[in-house]
Amino acid sequence: MDMEMFNHRLNTYIDSWMGPRDQRVRGWLLLDDYPPTFALTVAYLLIVWMGPKYMKNRQPFSCRGLLVVYNLGLTLLSLYMFCELVNGMWQGNYNFFCQDTHSAGEADTKIINVLWWYYFSKLIEFMDTFFFILRKNNHQITFLHVYHHASMPSIWWFVMNWVPCGHSYFGASLNSFIHVLMYSYYGLSAIPALRPYLWWKKYITQGQLIQFVMTMLQTSCAVVWPCGFPRGWLYFQISYMVTLIALFSNFYIQTYQKQGAFRRKEHQNGSAAAMNGHSNGVSPTEDLTRRKLRVD
């Protein structure tokens, strides 16, 4: 079976299961067929599995210049998406409680265009993990990190094909705003002279948790006060938010609360480990901060 025949059969199966697609995105890059998005996700997972093995006996790469350009580039893209989504929902007078996908004319078209960039950005963000592998920061490649990065492109491929505007706007808007804060932090933290002035990392995770809770509540509003937006998508969104809230909450507890309690205990005990940390010019708090996991 050639690839064209495979794509045709897969598209036929997906369409019979999901129903008719939104014709406003026909012909858009990567959206007509699912296999490219699926193949990129599989390639990502293979690199996550094989990359650390390849790097095991090799020196880590610094990537400092690339990290600055990459993170600040995603900061600008996230800021663009956030501003355009806010502008689109304001222009279309989008309803917070429920917004259908065919009710705001040109504003819907604006939202669809921005959400395609949002979908595409999830493929770009695979580079987050690749930089971890190249720098041998394998402790940061957690289940949460891989689960979130691997699932988003496929989720948003389906969103773009069936519900590319309307009530889909809210979670993407909040996530774009959080990513402005997150990628700006990581871009600036790649410059050693700026690290002492960067104070908002802990609040990024808090913001992410607030984002997931708000998205779940806003999605639930469309279940209680329906407006024609497909209920199946709403139930899926709520379920996915529950998984992220559980995983990010666990990350927050393990990274900040338990480690914070450990640091306080060490400080009270005047432990030898703390004394050694200071004698080497690095306090345990600073060393722990450098080793904190990144979650996006």
Side-chain angles (χ1 to χ4, degrees):
M1 182 187 301
D2 60 24
M3 183 57 65
E4 185 176 350
M5 179 63 71
F6 175 75
N7 280 341
H8 175 72
R9 291 191 176 182
L10 181 60
N11 285 333
T12 301
Y13 172 76
I14 292 174
D15 291 345
S16 65
W17 177 48
M18 299 290 295
R21 303 189 190 193
D22 194 307
Q23 295 302 305
R24 290 172 290 184
V25 298
R26 290 304 90 219
W28 288 28
L29 180 64
L30 295 174
L31 293 187
D32 281 351
D33 301 311
Y34 179 58
T37 299
F38 178 75
L40 289 169
T41 303
V42 171
Y44 167 78
L45 292 172
L46 286 173
I47 292 172
V48 169
W49 175 51
M50 297 177 63
K53 301 178 188 296
Y54 175 80
M55 290 296 298
K56 184 176 181 180
N57 297 316
R58 291 172 169 80
Q59 290 296 315
F61 293 91
S62 169
C63 303
R64 182 174 298 165
L66 283 174
L67 283 170
V68 172
V69 173
Y70 169 75
N71 284 295
L72 295 186
L74 278 178
T75 299
L76 294 175
L77 177 59
S78 299
L79 181 61
Y80 162 77
M81 292 188 294
F82 174 71
C83 292
E84 286 294 288
L85 286 168
V86 171
N87 181 265
M89 66 187 188
W90 183 270
Q91 176 185 331
N93 195 26
Y94 266 36
N95 190 312
F96 174 84
F97 297 100
C98 190
Q99 182 70 35
D100 197 9
T101 57
H102 290 81
S103 55
E106 291 184 6
D108 283 343
T109 302
K110 178 188 283 288
I111 296 291
I112 293 171
N113 277 283
V114 181
L115 289 184
W116 180 87
W117 278 105
Y118 185 78
Y119 152 75
F120 190 70
S121 73
K122 299 308 164 189
L123 296 171
I124 298 173
E125 288 169 14
F126 284 166
M127 289 301 300
D128 292 357
T129 316
F130 300 159
F131 280 123
F132 290 157
I133 293 171
L134 290 173
R135 300 173 71 204
K136 299 186 75 168
N137 290 341
N138 297 333
H139 63 283
Q140 295 186 295
I141 307 174
T142 61
F143 173 79
L144 167 56
H145 178 89
V146 175
Y147 167 73
H148 188 40
H149 277 66
S151 60
M152 287 294 280
S154 289
I155 289 172
W156 276 90
W157 184 88
F158 282 95
V159 169
M160 290 306 301
N161 271 284
W162 278 272
V163 284
C165 58
H167 215 63
S168 302
Y169 80 94
F170 188 76
S173 301
L174 282 183
N175 188 243
S176 296
F177 175 73
I178 294 297
H179 277 195
V180 171
L181 303 179
M182 185 183 75
Y183 282 111
S184 63
Y185 174 89
Y186 288 111
L188 295 172
S189 68
I191 305 172
L194 297 179
R195 289 174 189 164
Y197 306 101
L198 305 177
W199 49 267
W200 62 92
K201 181 178 182 180
K202 177 179 179 179
Y203 301 103
I204 294 172
T205 307
Q206 293 179 352
Q208 288 170 317
L209 284 167
I210 293 170
Q211 163 203 332
F212 300 140
V213 172
M214 288 183 64
T215 300
M216 185 173 69
L217 293 176
Q218 192 259 1
T219 304
S220 300
C221 288
V223 176
V224 178
W225 299 287
C227 63
F229 192 91
R231 279 180 175 262
W233 289 102
L234 300 173
Y235 294 138
F236 173 80
Q237 172 98 313
I238 292 169
S239 300
Y240 188 63
M241 288 302 108
V242 168
T243 67
L244 293 182
I245 289 169
L247 290 170
F248 273 77
S249 296
N250 179 66
F251 164 81
Y252 186 84
I253 292 169
Q254 297 297 326
T255 303
Y256 296 106
Q257 295 189 356
K258 287 190 175 181
Q259 291 181 358
F262 175 76
R263 289 198 299 269
R264 288 192 297 271
K265 183 177 179 180
E266 277 203 332
H267 179 73
Q268 290 169 358
N269 292 338
S271 67
M275 293 172 64
N276 285 336
H278 284 289
S279 67
N280 290 330
V282 180
S283 72
T285 300
E286 291 169 336
D287 182 59
L288 196 56
T289 300
R290 291 178 188 176
R291 292 186 285 109
K292 282 178 182 176
L293 305 182
R294 172 174 174 176
V295 176
D296 356 86

